[in-house]
């Protein structure tokens, strides 16, 4: 049910074949996969980017998580809100200027970039989380409003 809520939040439509496939899986199967992904992203012994890559690789096994990172990153961020961050088209739009290409493995590279920003931002990043940066990127990457007449 938690994933269903995130589907609605990220997709605004749950009328796709993969949603049916996901919702028809036994709850125990979904919980087994998500438990491993949650454990991975919460593992502070791993660097943030490696935890993100591991969690993303685990959750990939569920229908709807094989392509795109918006939903997967929302699930992983819900599991570790101060450590992970949401990745979606607005964030990608903001990151295009930083040349982070939308190719496989981008979520781990994105989290590495956020980690670098948090480590090297000195006083300017004091108290910020990965989620704070992703929120700033989200608003930076929003489409320009239509010009006024």
């Amino acid at each position: 049910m938690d994933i269903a809520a995130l589907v609605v939040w990220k997709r605004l439509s749950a009328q796709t074949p993969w949603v049916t496939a996901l919702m028809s899986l036994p709850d125990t199967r979904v919980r087994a996969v998500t438990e491993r992904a949650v454990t991975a992203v919460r593992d502070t012994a791993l660097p943030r980017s490696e935890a993100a890559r591991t969690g993303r690789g685990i959750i990939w096994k569920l229908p709807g998580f094989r392509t795109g990172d918006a939903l997967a990153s929302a699930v992983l961020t819900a599991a570790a809100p101060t450590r992970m961050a949401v990745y979606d088209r607005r964030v990608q739009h903001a990151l295009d200027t930083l040349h982070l290409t939308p190719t496989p493995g981008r979520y781990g590279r994105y989290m590495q970039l956020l980690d670098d920003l948090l480590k090297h931002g000195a006083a300017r990043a004091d108290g910020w989380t990965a989620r704070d940066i992703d929120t700033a990127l989200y608003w930076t990457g929003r489409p320009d409003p239509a010009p006024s007449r």
Side-chain angles (χ1 to χ4, degrees):
M1 293 303 291
D2 293 337
I3 290 176
L6 291 169
V7 167
V8 171
W9 176 62
K10 288 310 293 172
R11 304 274 185 182
L12 300 178
S13 174
Q15 298 177 347
T16 59
W18 70 262
V19 172
T20 301
L22 178 64
M23 295 305 175
S24 67
L25 287 176
D27 189 54
T28 54
R29 170 78 175 125
V30 175
R31 286 182 182 275
V33 172
T34 55
E35 179 180 12
R36 289 180 46 233
V38 166
T39 299
V41 297
R42 290 180 177 173
D43 184 356
T44 57
L46 292 175
R48 184 187 323 264
S49 60
E50 187 59 33
R53 279 187 200 94
T54 302
R56 181 68 181 96
I58 293 167
I59 208 159
W60 179 89
K61 296 172 184 170
L62 295 174
F65 292 88
R66 292 188 178 103
T67 59
D69 291 309
L71 181 59
S73 68
V75 170
L76 298 176
T77 301
T82 60
R83 191 151 198 249
M84 296 294 115
V86 176
Y87 177 94
D88 58 19
R89 75 181 93 162
R90 283 189 176 185
V91 168
Q92 182 58 54
H93 182 72
L95 291 173
D96 282 343
T97 59
L98 300 174
H99 308 291
L100 181 67
T101 59
T103 57
R106 67 182 162 224
Y107 188 62
R109 291 192 316 276
Y110 170 55
M111 293 308 299
Q112 180 63 56
L113 175 65
L114 295 188
D115 210 24
D116 291 346
L117 289 170
L118 289 167
K119 284 181 184 174
H120 302 296
R124 293 180 302 271
D126 191 35
W128 280 60
T129 66
R131 181 70 177 130
D132 293 328
I133 295 173
D134 111 49
T135 301
L137 288 168
Y138 174 85
W139 287 108
T140 301
R142 75 180 192 273
D144 291 331
S148 303
R149 292 184 184 200

